[in-house]
Structure formats: structure tokens, C-alpha cells
Amino acid sequence: MVVSSYRAAWIVAAMLFLTVLTQLIYVGAGEATAQGLGKALWRVEIVAYLVMALYALRLARQHPLAAAGLLVGGLLNVIQLGIGLHMFETLRQEGVPEAVFRAVLQLAFFLYFAGKFALGFTAAGLGSVLFRSGGGVTGWIGIAAMLAGVAAIGMTLLAMLGGESRFTFPAGAAGTAAALIAGIALPLAYRRGEHASGRSDESEAEA
């Protein structure tokens, strides 16, 4: 199956939008997430991140660093979601030391923040591409992507380096915003690459 880089960009963008939607539902549902909705959302996210990671490989030739962020972010999120889906409930059973559950929970959050960091990296890289190559609305989207990406990188770094309790919500919100703007920027970056070269695979620009 041959998929153009532009079509792959749209597929990845759709997966990013899906993860943003699930994050918003998860936060908005509150207590309902503990009644089974949370696990359903995690399963949807696992599929979305897997698809994102696979199609990110198709994007690597034109913007390799941005694609690397998508691949790494997707895989890290799959791992942390798998931990939550298959380990949390078992570790909450009677007889399991609370310290064990806390350690696994902290690992899952660390991987969550690392995944958001990678998506922030992608957003910043794509924003740089759009800012340099486009004016008007495209240029402003590039600026927004760079700002969102830098904010996600900064917040997630603070969370990973010992500030989890204080930066959990800011880091998650910044990472979600970066995913959203990266999804908007992706088709624009790859469409511009196709127009510039006539073929999506011939551009050697790096994000």
C-alpha cells in the first residue's frame, strides 16, 4: 500500500485530534472515568498513538526531526497507557504494598510527560517550518505552533525533573495544546513541501 506523505500527514493529524478529544473527555468526565469510561478512552488512545507512530515513519524523509517526535511520542504514550490499562487495577488489590502502586504510577506519569515533550518538539519544529516558508495565516499558525511546542517542552521538563505534583496539570494541558496545533500544522507543512518540489518525497527540508 502506497500512501503519499501528504495523506500520511492528514492521518497523523486525525490521530492527534482524536487524542486531544479523548483528553478533553477524560478531564471533563471527572468521576465517570473511574467507572469504566477511563479505560475505554485509554484503549482508543492506544490505537490512535499506534497509528500515529506507524505513519510518522512515512513523514520522516521530508521533516525527519518532526517525524521523530511523533514516533517517539506515540510509542511512549502506548507504553504508559498499557501500564495504566493492565497494571493499575492489579496493583490496587488488597495485599499489594501502596509503595509499589505509587512507583508504577510515577513511572506512568514520567512516560506521559516524556511523550508530551516529544509532541511539543514536533509542534515547535513544524511551527518553525511554517513560519520560515509561509506568510499570512500560515505564518501565524507557525508562530502558534512554536509557542505551544516550547511551552509543552518547558512544562513537561519541569514535571519530569521532580515537579510532578506541581506541574501535572500545566504539563498535560501544554502537551495537549501542542498536539492540537501540531495536528493543524502537519498538513500545511507537507502540502507546502509537495508544492515546492512537485513531489512530497523530494524535499530535504528539516523541521
Side-chain angles (χ1 to χ4, degrees):
M1 180 177 64
V2 178
V3 178
S4 70
S5 58
Y6 183 54
R7 181 170 295 181
W10 270 111
I11 293 172
V12 173
M15 296 303 102
L16 287 170
F17 294 148
L18 180 57
T19 64
V20 170
L21 178 61
T22 57
Q23 288 283 294
L24 293 175
I25 295 174
Y26 190 89
V27 172
E31 293 297 327
T33 58
Q35 304 300 322
L37 177 60
K39 287 187 175 182
L41 293 173
W42 289 350
R43 290 185 175 94
V44 171
E45 289 185 346
I46 285 172
V47 174
Y49 282 121
L50 277 174
V51 172
M52 184 182 82
L54 289 170
Y55 277 95
L57 293 173
R58 184 65 183 85
L59 306 178
R61 184 171 181 178
Q62 190 169 329
H63 300 303
L65 296 182
L70 292 166
L71 175 61
V72 172
L75 293 178
L76 288 174
N77 274 290
V78 168
I79 294 171
Q80 67 92 6
L81 287 163
I83 290 173
L85 191 62
H86 295 290
M87 296 184 70
F88 284 179
E89 187 173 341
T90 300
L91 293 175
R92 295 300 288 172
Q93 293 178 356
E94 186 176 352
V96 178
E98 180 69 18
V100 175
F101 173 74
R102 293 296 303 174
V104 174
L105 179 64
Q106 289 175 348
L107 173 61
F109 267 112
F110 183 87
L111 295 173
Y112 170 80
F113 296 134
K116 296 295 186 186
F117 175 94
L119 294 180
F121 183 82
T122 292
L126 291 173
S128 177
V129 170
L130 294 181
F131 178 71
R132 293 196 312 266
S133 62
V137 175
T138 300
W140 284 108
I141 292 174
I143 293 173
M146 285 190 291
L147 292 175
V150 170
I153 290 170
M155 289 293 101
T156 53
L157 271 178
L158 289 172
M160 284 189 288
L161 299 179
E164 177 187 318
S165 59
R166 288 175 294 169
F167 292 100
T168 296
F169 182 78
T176 301
L180 175 63
I181 196 68
I184 296 171
L186 264 168
L188 293 174
Y190 282 86
R191 182 191 65 188
R192 294 189 69 84
E194 287 191 349
H195 288 175
S197 64
R199 289 174 54 191
S200 61
D201 293 332
E202 292 180 0
S203 174
E204 298 298 332
E206 290 189 9

